[in-house]
Structure formats: C-alpha cells, structure tokens
Amino acid sequence: MDARLRRVNKEITDCKNDKTSQIKIELVDESPFHLKGSFPGPEGTPYEGGKFEVDIVIPESYPFQPVKMKFITKLYHPNVSSASGAICLDILKDAWSPVLTLKSTLISLQSLLCSPEPNDPQDAEVAKHYMTSKQSFEETAAYWTHIYAGGPPPKGSGGAANDEVAIAGLDKAQVDRFEALGFQRSKVVDVLRRLNYRGANIAKISDDVVVEKLLMA
C-alpha cells in the first residue's frame, strides 16, 4: 500500500470516528482518491440548517500537493462560484501544508461560510451584492440554503420554491416595474442582477441605463 493510500484511509477512518465535528467523508464509486465531504451550515449564518456537500479529488502527490475541492451543493457566497462551485481559499492553493487533513480543510470551508472575504472573491457579482447590501445578501443566501441545501424557509418567504427574483437577490417591486414596460421577466432579472441593482445602488443607476441594457440584451 503506497503512502498516499495509507494517509487517505487513515484520514477517512479518523473522520468516521469523530462524532463531534459533524464532518463526513465518503467514497465516490469506491475510489479512495475521489471522495465526497459534507458538513452542516454554521449556526448564526444564512447557511444554518443546510447540508453542504463538497467534491474532493486527491492528487497523486498528496499530501505535498493540495486536495482539489469544489462545492456540489449550490450556495450564495462571495468566495464560491454560484455556477461551478469553485472555491477561493488560500489553503487550497499556495497556503496548503502537508500537515492539513481532509477534515481540517472541510472545517476551514465551514469557517469560510461564517466569514466571507468579498475583497478576494470567486464570484464577483455575489461579492458586489454583499458589499452593497449585507442584509439583502443574507436573505438571498438563506433562500439558496433553503432551495439547494435543504435548509428552513427564510422568514417572510412563504416557502415559495425557485423564485427567480429571490434567487437573484433582487427587489420584486423593481423587477415588476421594468417588466410592466414590456420586457420579459427573465431578461429583467438577468440585467438587474448584472447591474447589481440592489440597496443603495438603485439610486445610482438611472432607469434610462436599465432600459438601454434591456434593449441590448
């Protein structure tokens, strides 16, 4: 048995024996080098109540080379791509150390959900939302947790499923206003999302600019 396989098997066993962290690791297709990790969303965050799954690929030179991780579960966070699940975290790149383990790395991901770093984003649009209106960002993140991670319905959502306006973190009244001008709803949502038409930014973006973008879309 090579050193990489011994190390990975030990880490999987250690994780199974740890009943307190709630970090879980399981094999994908019986391969010890392709794994799926999971952890609960941290309490007191918009991710609370959700279960977040992570795809893990062990490189050939592990532990001297960082593991490759990306989120399987969709989530709304400045440091995670809302499209691909790619993660911006230093220990997955140049700050990796062989003393880190699969469990400690997953715990770091869990901590990232508590402390977003919008100035070093993976998803620039989400980072802009976070910096423009943190309350609106948290409402959107909680909605994503509900529909994608099995979290509880956010307060005031009425439990509605897959509302494209809520998913984009936009004000329904503003979307309705531009839709009433004759533009397709999905096009309005896309343009307002890209313009970061939220919170204090709304006053900075004239209706003429929005209409021009809608006509070009």
Side-chain angles (χ1 to χ4, degrees):
M1 186 186 295
D2 69 16
R4 176 176 66 142
L5 183 54
R6 274 199 307 274
R7 162 94 179 225
V8 171
N9 282 341
K10 182 180 184 304
E11 290 193 33
I12 293 171
T13 301
D14 288 348
C15 207
K16 281 181 180 173
N17 292 336
D18 178 4
K19 307 300 182 190
T20 59
S21 68
Q22 295 184 283
I23 303 290
K24 292 184 169 54
I25 298 175
E26 58 190 79
L27 273 60
V28 175
D29 298 328
E30 303 303 313
S31 168
F33 304 126
H34 186 196
L35 308 167
K36 182 171 73 174
S38 66
F39 55 80
E43 292 182 10
T45 73
Y47 312 101
E48 182 176 359
K51 178 188 175 185
F52 296 89
E53 296 186 336
V54 178
D55 184 76
I56 304 168
V57 175
I58 310 292
E60 285 191 15
S61 54
Y62 181 81
F64 303 103
Q65 185 182 351
V67 291
K68 294 184 170 79
M69 290 190 176
K70 67 177 181 178
F71 276 98
I72 299 168
T73 308
K74 288 175 71 72
L75 73 158
Y76 199 74
H77 189 285
N79 306 111
V80 179
S81 168
S82 52
S84 69
I87 303 161
C88 182
L89 183 64
D90 56 359
I91 63 169
L92 294 176
K93 297 180 289 186
D94 49 2
W96 172 261
S97 164
V99 302
L100 293 169
T101 64
L102 297 174
K103 184 174 77 173
S104 66
T105 305
L106 288 168
I107 289 172
S108 293
L109 290 189
Q110 191 179 39
S111 297
L112 185 66
L113 301 195
C114 298
S115 306
E117 296 285 350
N119 293 317
D120 185 24
Q122 179 71 38
D123 195 310
E125 285 187 5
V126 178
K128 285 178 189 172
H129 189 181
Y130 181 92
M131 291 189 283
T132 300
S133 173
K134 191 177 177 192
Q135 181 183 340
S136 171
F137 160 81
E138 289 183 346
E139 289 169 357
T140 306
Y143 189 79
W144 279 51
T145 298
H146 169 52
I147 61 173
Y148 296 122
K155 292 172 186 173
S157 73
N162 282 43
D163 179 341
E164 63 179 337
V165 177
I167 289 172
L170 298 169
D171 183 338
K172 182 177 179 298
Q174 300 293 350
V175 174
D176 290 345
R177 189 162 66 86
F178 288 106
E179 187 182 16
L181 298 178
F183 295 104
Q184 188 179 355
R185 190 174 187 81
S186 59
K187 187 181 287 188
V188 173
V189 169
D190 185 55
V191 167
L192 295 186
R193 177 178 56 76
R194 285 190 278 114
L195 286 171
N196 191 27
Y197 199 79
R198 307 173 176 109
N201 252 18
I202 291 175
K204 300 175 185 174
I205 303 170
S206 72
D207 286 2
D208 288 347
V209 167
V210 176
V211 170
E212 182 183 348
K213 296 287 186 185
L214 284 165
L215 289 169
M216 291 168 60

